[in-house]
Amino acid sequence: MATYPWAAGYVDDGDRPKIVTARFEHEDSYTITRYHATEGYAGLKAALTRTPGEVHDEVRGATVLGRGGAGFPAGTKWGLMPPEKYPRYLVVNGDESEPGTYKDRLLMERDPHQLIEGCLIAAYAAGLSQVFLYIRGEMPLAHERVATALNEAYAAGYVGKNILGTDFSVDIILHWGAGAYVVGEETALIESLEGKRGEPRLKPPYFPAAIGLYGQPTIVNNVETLSNLPWLLRNGVAAYTAIGTETSPGTRMVAVSGHVARPGVFEIVNGTTTFRDLLFGDEFCQGIRDGNSLKAFVPGGGSAPWFTPEQLDVPFEGRVAGAAGSMLGSGAVMVMDDTTDIPTAALTLTRFYAHESCGQCTPCREGGTWLMRVLERVVEGQGTRADLDQLLEIGESICPGKFPHAANSALGLEATPFPYKMTTICFVGPSAYAPVHSALTHFRDEFEARVADTPARRQIPVTAVH
Amino acid sequence: MSRLNEANTILAKEIIARYPKARSATIPLLHLSQQQNGYVTEEAMAHVAELVGATPAEVQGTATFYEMFKFRPVGKYLVNICGTMSCQLMGSEALLHHAEEVLGVKPGGTTADGMFTLEHAECQAACTEAPNMQVNYRHCHRMTNEAFDQLIADLREGKRDADIPAHGTLARIRQQIPAEKAVGPVSPDDPARPVWTPAPEVK
Amino acid sequence: MSDEINVTVNGVPHVARKGQLVIEAAADAGEYIPRFCYHERMSSVGKCRMCLVECDTGRGPAVTVSCMATVAPDMKIDTQSPTVKRMQEGVLELLLANHPLDCPVCDKGGECPLQDQAFSHGPGESRFVEEKRHFEKPIPISDLVFLDRERCILCDRCTRFADEVAGDPLIHFTSRGNSTHIATFPDEPFASYFSGNTVQICPVGALTAKPYRFKARPWDLQQEESTCTTCSVGCRVVVQSSRDEVLRYMGVDSEPVNHGWLCDRGRFSFEATKSAERVLQPLVREGDALAPAAWNVALAEAARLIGEAKAAAGAGSIAVLGGARGTNEDAFAWARLAHEVIGTTNVYAQMGDGLPVGLLGLDRATIDDAANAATVVLLSPDIKEELPVLYLRLRAAAEQRRTKIIELTPKRTGMTPYAWRHVGYQPGTQVAAVDGLLADADVAAQLATGPVVVVAGRANLAESTATTVQALRRLLDAVPGATVLPAFRRGNVVGALQVGMRPGKGGLDTRGTLQAAADGKIECLVLVGSDPLADFPDHSLATRALAGARRIIAVDTFLSASAAKADVVLAASAFAEKAGTHTNLEGRVTSLARKVTPAGVNRADWMIAAELALELGSDLGYGTVEDITADIAAKVDGYAAATPAAIAADSDGVLTAVPGAIDPMNHVEAVIGERNAYDFRLVVSRVLYDQAEGTAHSPSLAHLARGSAVHLHPLDLDRVTSTAGARVKVSTASASVVFTAVADDSVLRGTAWVPFNQPGPNVGELIDCFAAVTDVRIENV
Ligand SMILES: Cc1cc2nc3c(=O)[nH]c(=O)nc-3n(C[C@H](O)[C@H](O)[C@H](O)COP(=O)(O)O)c2cc1C
Ligand code: SF4
Ligand code: FES
């Protein structure tokens, strides 16, 4: 087992295949020298010996699932662009801000050339004329590492005009954000890159593959997704699909945080690894801290409905997690042990999404804040029983109908599978509700213990004018 | 002097030239102005508007959407304590209270000497290393009260100047695109198929 | 037809159009889906979420944003399912959560979509007990509009309008999430010529118009549909009044004309109607003063003056100027009075500030023709300043890439940013500019791609019309099939000219009349709602003419500078005080409504003409306005279809035919002298806010006139003076005027631009209406 001071959080333990984190063991993994010494740019060279169509087929054949949250296969996504419509752009989603998620920053800080090579392979295969690498603003180190790598790559002839002497030419433009979670949503990312407020666009009609940046076909891919491509091109489809399962091949990076004995970022085998492996396995988190017991966990980023110990055997396989009442999202697991104050934990997440609402659509702007306010009251002991029902009713205005949740045999509940209906433009609104709904579904008693039967006299403070 | 100065205006034009549409440079240019002045001034927004061909109201609309842009002076060091779930589970509330006591300000406040502005922040993509904080967006992992005190002392004494520049400066390394290697921006109005992409076979 | 798509709306089969939005298809099927952000004339944004419905295209009912989703074959649209009801109640409850519910003191109360839909689709109660969002109560965002951010529901209508329709994105969403609000940039107000539209489309009382705030409740208002006569676009409006006082105009969505929009000058000039400065009864000169008189006295006196003049020097010594401010009926009655009863041929509705009447004889285009043409050539003044809603229509055509605009103007205009080609020419060189343009291969190719419309008008009042006419001819000869949209500016000038307010055989036009008057050859000058002292470009000639005319009779609503010199003033009723019809620049005849009782004892111009005819011993034979409308249809060339019934039947009015009786404009030779020491060539043109009667007497608009100043290209200004805002002397060979100098890069080098009819020094002093161009010298003083 190893951890590396230069890659805080990354845990390299056990004998698993490594696709994207193989170089993390080297302190200088971000330099072009180390990259060259470790098969760097061999994937690009391999790609350039084939036609773009062949490279695209390879990515399609490997079923490289999107690692940004939605899990949509990259090769298929590229194929959704209207034929013969140019120019097409690639926007790299390096805005990583989903609560619990910690992997793209590591990939950008530790292996920027791998990402650049991935961008080049994508641009070559899908006929993308210009690449924008959008890095979250609050990650200056990632920015510096990627900027340095790009400067090196331009100098070495990997990026820019006539790459490696071929007629393949593409610029990669480093762009950075300025702090807004919602910009991670792909259409908001595009708006932001156009210099506007990062407000998600309504889909349809604005599927970026058809109408994206400047109204042109645009591929938005996550940093980790693209970082898979050099390995794939070097080792081929068979090697890639030999790892994981048929529907979830390869590996994926997962960050496990919260009350585990050894929190960390792991590159795990897709499809087969279960949450039990991850939380309790020796090569992973080694159980709950201080010998406590597991109360609940968020399986796929702050937006995901919660799982309880009953779902520990769910594997990292999208369909299975969906049927069990949640999602895998962005590879972020947050673990709560039995000391956790559930209402406060739920409030923390709801506050996050309320704060990060872009504000353009009514249910999210008003509903998210309202949920937060009521929850705050409840947590402070100022709430009433009626408030608990009201939380669910406000949630219904955001997500009418059944909201997904996990099975709970103690409560006699069966799982309600993904997805849900929503009245909002994007998933931020429902995300504000997800923790409230999960917490109230599984731990209502903790809320009831906090509230009075009759309404407390509430102070309505007078606050300053904006 | 809160419009972009001459050197930054030249840099701004270089940045603009990378994008198919000038307005895309809005955020990078606002960062540049914040680097110059420590915060985003009205004059800077008006100047950015001029440079990217938008109205000042539009640039203001964009700027105010994003957390990192400040419209009033902040301390030399912006201390952001993460309060999102992983950090909250690992005790960030206590860290925040400690910080409030040490600095003598509430979140949003700036110390009287203009050194520190304290903020409650959202997830910083370091969740396994909770509780986290950032100083001028440089990560500080697994914080304890003691580590916090040490950090503040070091900052006061200028011991971290090498890795933590004053507020406003993000990356100290910029992308350089050598003119002879640059493809140049590809306009959305240019419908040409990339040369390396073969025409689809006619069936 | 392949365009038809079968859907069901709440189970009932309905045939929708391909590409139609679900919200529109449902409306066609009789189901009104509630909405806030959706507006037919702007792009859909789907932000408010009020219009959510369920649509099933075979995969089960899906939550659908009906203002963004288009119909699909066999789609089952459900606007009433329990889920839909739940969503509607939810959205309304959430919208009201932070809404101040100050309806009792809100202008919008009673006509508020939020209020109405809360009743019809809301949950009936609010459970929101938290503290609401607070903002400082209404803040001015411009001279005319206030914003109350607490009431705002962030529907993006005003901001979308400012950006998409007006092209003035000066208001914008600011901040994020629950603190999002609408804001202007500090010190940069929403100074759009079209700001009032945002008040009309705001679905709550967040935006209010200064002239209407706290004036009335909607249920006290009565309204009539009418036509705005501020310029010759002729936007459709409703005139709303309470207790016999006009309080507000609202734009009506007329498909061929204004799409619901109005400019602020038009929208707020209603204030002039109720101005305390109106003339309220006839006046007759007694020595140096004008004294009130009874109608019979004043009319008898006017008739006496006309008779006297005729006796002294014949009917040819009488001239009638005006008619453009009134209705077609006013103009027709006055034309008949002048031509038939008085017997003079010296009649003209233009004030020497437009192109010759022959423009109306050319093959005419409609506004729609222009907005759908492949190419529009603007050989015209700045239409944003003079014909604002036409600007909106053409700007939209250019922005939506339907139309390429080629602009030939002596300075950059509001349209220049949207023009495909802009050619700036020095006054007098229009012909060369056209030739140069036609020689450009790209332009020639563009002109051959489809319909071409030329918008033609007078771009410079300090220049004769000859060169423009010549250039227009050149253009029309070179582009066969091109049609012309006449950019005449003044309210009903096209109507007045067409129904007869133009010179008869051998008659004098305005310039000729004024020259004759200055020469002492006019015994009686009749001003029918015209004010040569303010409007005729050559101020010196106008002054001499009014001094030289032996007698003056003025028909006016205000005591204008010219009317103040009259011997008899006949008090006229104003817009909204009289019914009738109006002809816009494309020849469209629409109705004007009488909404309030005329001020004082004032009478409509036509009535005054009829009574004066009686005094003069003739009966025009009119008892009512309709009599005249019918008579116009019967007698006036091109107006046969414009019968009272036809006009009343269609809010969009009746399009008249191009009159054969007006000779199309012919080639004229213009001779332009060499430049000499007078090294700046003068350009004088109008801007939206000036000292026109309706504007100057509308308190909300009066102070918006920018003031007189000479504008020079910054490099030229550097040559003249080093201090910004300096006073400079602008001189011709015969006159000089001192102005403030302003740097303005919309002005061509070598030219000097002065806005016309502004408070401050009068640029008219420099204009000689007989000169081909006006060259001036500019010196620092
Ligand atoms: C509210 C929201 C936030 C998101 N944030 C991120 C993010 O920070 N990073 C990311 O890669 N994808 C994020 N996504 C997912 C993107 O919309 C998009 O699906 C993804 O970038 C596509 O890349 P992939 O196909 O490679 O996964 C977010 C989605 C939503 C709805
Ligand atoms: S001010 Fe009115 S129109 Fe504008 S966003 Fe607010 S509610 Fe909508
Ligand atoms: S009317 Fe459709 S979302 Fe507002």
Side-chain angles (χ1 to χ4, degrees), chain A residues 197 202 356-358 360-362 366 369 373 377 393 396-397 421 423-424 458 460-461 463 466, chain C residues 47-49 54 68 86 90 94-95 98 127-131 133-134 153-154 173 175-178:
Chain A
R197 299 161 59 76
L202 204 81
E356 296 299 336
S357 163
C358 82
Q360 67 173 330
C361 72
T362 311
E366 306 296 342
T369 316
R373 299 272 201 88
R377 258 198 275 133
E393 280 168 34
E396 273 242 356
S397 296
K421 289 186 171 163
T423 60
T424 51
R458 273 193 291 279
I460 301 202
T463 51
H466 281 72
Chain C
K47 287 187 172 180
C48 74
R49 318 304 282 175
E54 287 195 296
M68 294 208 64
R86 178 68 189 78
L94 292 168
L95 279 175
N98 266 302
R127 295 166 297 180
F128 189 83
V129 294
E130 326 317 304
E131 192 203 354
R133 251 192 318 261
H134 284 300
I153 58 167
L154 301 169
F173 285 132
S175 199
R176 190 181 73 208
N178 209 34

Side-chain angles (χ1 to χ4, degrees), chain C residues 123-478:
Chain C
E125 56 157 347
S126 171
R127 295 166 297 180
F128 189 83
V129 294
E130 326 317 304
E131 192 203 354
K132 298 193 186 231
R133 251 192 318 261
H134 284 300
F135 286 106
E136 198 183 316
K137 271 301 190 182
I139 49 166
I141 57 169
S142 75
D143 283 309
L144 296 164
V145 179
F146 283 89
L147 168 67
D148 181 330
R149 291 163 296 180
E150 291 183 349
R151 291 180 187 155
C152 173
I153 58 167
L154 301 169
C155 68
D156 195 17
R157 280 184 169 200
C158 56
T159 35
R160 236 179 317 158
F161 171 84
D163 182 19
E164 277 178 19
V165 182
D168 300 318
L170 300 168
I171 40 175
H172 208 278
F173 285 132
T174 300
S175 199
R176 190 181 73 208
N178 209 34
S179 8
T180 308
H181 58 273
I182 304 289
T184 53
F185 193 70
D187 301 327
E188 188 160 312
F190 179 43
S192 171
Y193 284 172
F194 306 97
S195 69
N197 293 296
T198 62
V199 176
Q200 181 167 339
I201 61 179
C202 180
V204 293
L207 292 168
T208 45
K210 195 161 100 183
Y212 178 74
R213 280 169 62 79
F214 306 123
K215 289 279 163 45
R217 310 299 321 202
W219 50 85
D220 291 330
L221 292 175
Q222 297 170 316
Q223 68 178 40
E224 291 281 356
E225 206 171 311
S226 191
T227 306
C228 174
T229 59
T230 307
C231 79
S232 72
V233 174
C235 296
R236 292 295 282 167
V237 296
V238 291
V239 178
Q240 298 181 327
S241 69
S242 171
R243 285 177 233 177
D244 212 22
E245 187 185 327
V246 182
L247 291 178
R248 184 167 74 168
Y249 294 168
M250 301 281 258
V252 169
D253 193 335
S254 169
E255 177 64 38
V257 185
N258 58 317
H259 290 186
W261 313 127
L262 299 178
C263 73
D264 286 356
R265 175 173 169 174
R267 183 181 296 270
F268 298 117
S269 62
F270 72 87
E271 289 180 329
T273 298
K274 54 182 184 175
S275 165
E277 288 146 37
R278 285 280 300 277
V279 171
L280 297 175
Q281 72 257 75
L283 307 168
V284 173
R285 183 160 298 280
E286 285 175 7
D288 280 348
L290 282 165
W295 268 112
N296 57 352
V297 175
L299 284 166
E301 177 66 3
R304 190 181 67 77
L305 297 180
I306 291 169
E308 223 176 66
K310 212 164 169 175
S317 72
I318 302 171
V320 181
L321 296 181
R325 285 192 200 146
T327 61
N328 288 335
E329 289 70 16
D330 291 337
F332 190 59
W334 271 97
R336 285 192 57 206
L337 174 66
H339 291 290
E340 296 170 23
V341 180
I342 298 173
T344 179
T345 53
N346 308 326
V347 179
Y348 208 37
Q350 291 210 79
M351 281 299 105
D353 56 354
L355 289 188
V357 64
L359 194 57
L360 294 173
L362 298 169
D363 279 347
R364 198 171 307 162
T366 62
I367 296 173
D368 266 349
D369 290 343
N372 291 296
T375 316
V376 169
V377 183
L378 293 172
L379 183 67
S380 72
D382 187 340
I383 58 171
K384 184 175 183 184
E385 303 291 345
E386 301 206 354
L387 303 163
V389 172
L390 177 62
Y391 159 79
L392 290 189
R393 294 287 315 271
L394 294 185
R395 180 188 171 276
E399 286 284 276
Q400 291 156 17
R401 300 183 177 213
R402 274 198 307 278
T403 302
K404 286 206 163 83
I405 291 180
I406 301 176
E407 189 184 50
L408 288 146
T409 45
K411 73 184 275 286
R412 293 170 65 81
T413 72
M415 198 55 122
T416 311
Y418 310 102
W420 174 68
R421 283 279 198 286
H422 165 81
V423 180
Y425 63 80
Q426 301 274 329
T429 67
Q430 288 89 317
V431 177
V434 167
D435 288 345
L437 191 70
L438 293 171
D440 181 321
D442 283 354
V443 171
Q446 173 60 28
L447 290 172
T449 55
V452 176
V453 171
V454 183
V455 180
R458 178 89 176 264
N460 180 11
L461 301 175
E463 175 190 358
S464 90
T465 57
T467 338
T468 305
V469 170
Q470 206 179 343
L472 175 60
R473 259 282 139 233
R474 230 8 181 267
L475 201 53
L476 295 178
D477 290 345

Side-chain angles (χ1 to χ4, degrees), chain C residues 35-38 46-49 51 65 67:
Chain C
R35 79 280 306 260
F36 291 108
C37 65
Y38 175 66
K47 287 187 172 180
C48 74
R49 318 304 282 175
C51 72
V65 192
C67 71

Side-chain angles (χ1 to χ4, degrees), chain A residues 66-70 72 77 93 95-97 104 181 184-186 220-222 225 427-428:
Chain A
R67 307 300 207 265
F72 196 78
K77 187 190 272 191
N93 194 341
D95 195 60
E96 185 169 65
S97 350
D104 298 338
Y181 159 75
E185 197 280 340
E186 54 190 3
V220 179
N221 268 142
N222 170 260
T225 314
F427 292 95
V428 174

